[in-house]
Amino acid sequence: MASYLIAHWSIITAFLCGLLLAALSAWLVVSWRRGKARRSGRRGERMVAKELGKLRKKDFIVLNDLMLPASNGRTSQIDHVVVSTRGIFVIETKNHAGRISGAEHAQYWQQHLSSQSRGFYNPLLQNRSHLRAVRRLLPKADAELFSSIVVFTEAWRLDIKAEDIIIERSLLPDRHVRRTLIPEEEVKKRWWRPWRSPVVLDGHKMVMRIDGMLPEIKRRPRVLERAAVRELAEKLLSANITDRSVRKDHTEYAKRTSKDVSDDIRKGKCPRCGAQLVVRKSDKGEFAGCSRYPACRFTCSIDRLAH
C-alpha cells in the first residue's frame, strides 16, 4: 500500500488539490450570493442619501443609518430620517428592480423581473416599527408631523393595493391589479405614465420611486420652526447606537427572524399570530392566508408552504 501511494503520489496530490479548489470555489459563490442582497441594499441607501443631500441644510436635517432602541428591548435600524420644517419623514429604501406588486396589509410583496418573481417582506410593515421607534424618542411631537415613506430606487412600476381607494386604476394597462392609490393631481399631470406616480395610502404613508421623493417632501407645508427641528434632530442623534457589537447583534437577529418566519410558513403556521395557514382563492389564483382573518391579515404565496 505504501509503495502504491509513493508511486502515485503526484496523481493523489493533484486530485486532492482539485477537491480543495472545487470546495473553495463553491464557498466563494455561496458567500457572494449571500452578500449580493446586502450590497444591493447599501447601494440603494447611498442613492437615497445622495438625493436627500440636495435638500436645504437650513430647513432639512438628514440622518442616515440610525439605530435606535425599540420598546421591546431590541433595536430598530432605520435607513433615513429627515427632520425638517415640513415634518419628520422616516424613509425605508428598497433597491429592487422590475415591477413591484403587493397589498398594504400583506406580509410579503412580490418583485417581478423578466419571467421570475420573488417575495420580500412588506416594507410598509417594516417601516411601521421604525416609525414607532422614532416617535418613542420624540413623545412631545404631534403625530401629524410624522410620515412613512418607502422608496424604490430601481423599480419601474409600483402595483400596490389598499383598502381605501383614492383613484380607481382605470388608466393603467394591466387589468390584474384593480386598485392602486394614485394622487389625483399626479394622474392629471402624467396621464400617459401614471404607474410612475407615488402611491399614497394616506397623507402620512406612501410608496414611491426615488424620483418622486424630493418633490413629495418639498411640497409639504411648513409646520415646524428651525429651532424645533434642530432640537428634535439632536434627540435622535443622542439616542443613535454606534457600538459595532450591538449593530452586529441586530443584523444577526434579523437573519434569525427571517429564517424563523420561513420555517413557520413551511410548517403551515402563521408567523404573525401562530394560527394555521389555510389555502384561499381569489381572481388571481390560490394563496395562503391566516385562518384568523380578518383579525390577522397575513398572506403569502402558496409555493412557500411545504408540500
Side-chain angles (χ1 to χ4, degrees):
M1 183 66 180
S3 59
Y4 176 84
L5 291 176
I6 294 173
H8 298 83
W9 178 248
S10 60
I11 298 176
I12 295 173
T13 303
F15 176 73
L16 292 175
C17 288
L19 285 179
L20 181 61
L21 287 174
L24 179 61
S25 300
W27 178 81
L28 289 174
V29 169
V30 171
S31 300
W32 182 84
R33 287 181 176 177
R34 286 179 177 176
K36 185 177 180 181
R38 184 171 61 253
R39 292 191 300 271
S40 176
R42 289 175 179 173
R43 184 168 62 251
E45 291 172 18
R46 288 195 296 268
M47 292 171 62
V48 172
K50 184 177 179 180
E51 281 294 299
L52 293 174
K54 299 176 182 179
L55 295 169
R56 291 180 58 189
K57 301 291 190 295
K58 292 182 179 180
D59 295 321
F60 300 90
I61 298 178
V62 180
L63 308 176
N64 299 310
D65 192 21
L66 277 182
M67 180 170 285
L68 303 177
S71 58
N72 55 7
R74 302 192 182 102
T75 52
S76 182
Q77 190 165 17
I78 309 170
D79 293 340
H80 319 276
V81 177
V82 178
V83 186
S84 71
T85 55
R86 315 296 175 128
I88 302 170
F89 304 90
V90 180
I91 301 174
E92 172 66 22
T93 300
K94 293 299 177 185
N95 194 36
H96 298 334
R99 182 174 68 86
I100 306 299
S101 66
E104 180 182 0
H105 299 291
Q107 187 82 0
Y108 288 88
W109 289 3
Q110 294 290 321
Q111 176 192 21
H112 307 274
L113 192 60
S114 186
S115 59
Q116 299 179 343
S117 64
R118 71 173 188 88
F120 61 96
Y121 188 71
N122 183 342
L124 284 173
L125 299 181
Q126 184 180 358
N127 211 35
R128 185 172 62 183
S129 63
H130 298 166
L131 188 62
R132 282 198 298 264
V134 174
R135 291 188 59 182
R136 180 171 173 266
L137 292 171
L138 307 175
K140 295 183 180 180
D142 188 1
E144 293 298 313
L145 296 176
F146 296 89
S147 295
S148 173
I149 299 180
V150 176
V151 177
F152 285 90
T153 55
E154 298 291 340
W156 60 268
R157 187 185 185 115
L158 301 174
D159 289 334
I160 311 301
K161 297 187 293 182
E163 293 182 350
D164 300 322
I165 306 306
I166 296 176
I167 297 293
E168 284 292 339
R169 185 191 163 87
S170 58
L171 295 176
L172 301 191
D174 287 354
R175 296 178 181 177
H176 63 283
V177 179
R178 295 175 179 171
R179 300 185 301 175
T180 296
L181 299 180
I182 300 173
E184 186 174 1
E185 63 272 15
E186 289 292 333
V187 173
K188 292 179 179 178
K189 184 169 61 176
R190 304 192 204 176
W191 62 270
W192 66 95
R193 50 173 188 171
W195 55 86
R196 297 196 175 202
S197 303
V199 180
V200 179
L201 306 182
D202 57 45
H204 300 279
K205 184 166 55 177
M206 61 204 69
V207 184
M208 64 184 60
R209 285 161 39 94
I210 190 172
D211 52 4
M213 180 179 60
L214 293 190
E216 176 62 32
I217 293 176
K218 290 179 180 179
R219 77 172 183 83
R220 299 295 183 92
R222 187 185 182 97
V223 291
L224 286 173
E225 297 297 327
R226 291 175 179 174
V229 169
R230 288 192 296 270
E231 181 182 350
L232 294 173
E234 287 171 1
K235 287 183 179 180
L236 294 178
L237 277 177
S238 63
N240 183 33
I241 300 171
T242 57
D243 187 277
R244 291 186 177 181
S245 61
V246 177
R247 286 179 169 257
K248 182 178 180 181
D249 290 342
H250 175 90
T251 303
E252 292 299 323
Y253 174 78
K255 290 180 180 178
R256 289 197 303 270
T257 302
S258 177
K259 183 179 183 301
D260 292 342
V261 167
S262 298
D263 290 342
D264 285 344
I265 293 174
R266 280 195 292 270
K267 296 175 183 177
K269 179 180 176 182
C270 175
R272 185 181 295 178
C273 69
Q276 285 295 116
L277 293 177
V278 296
V279 177
R280 301 185 185 277
K281 293 183 178 181
S282 69
D283 55 351
K284 295 193 295 182
E286 293 184 335
F287 66 96
C290 182
S291 57
R292 294 184 62 243
Y293 177 87
C296 178
R297 297 175 178 270
F298 174 82
T299 62
C300 68
S301 169
I302 198 171
D303 297 334
R304 302 192 65 186
L305 297 175
H307 296 288

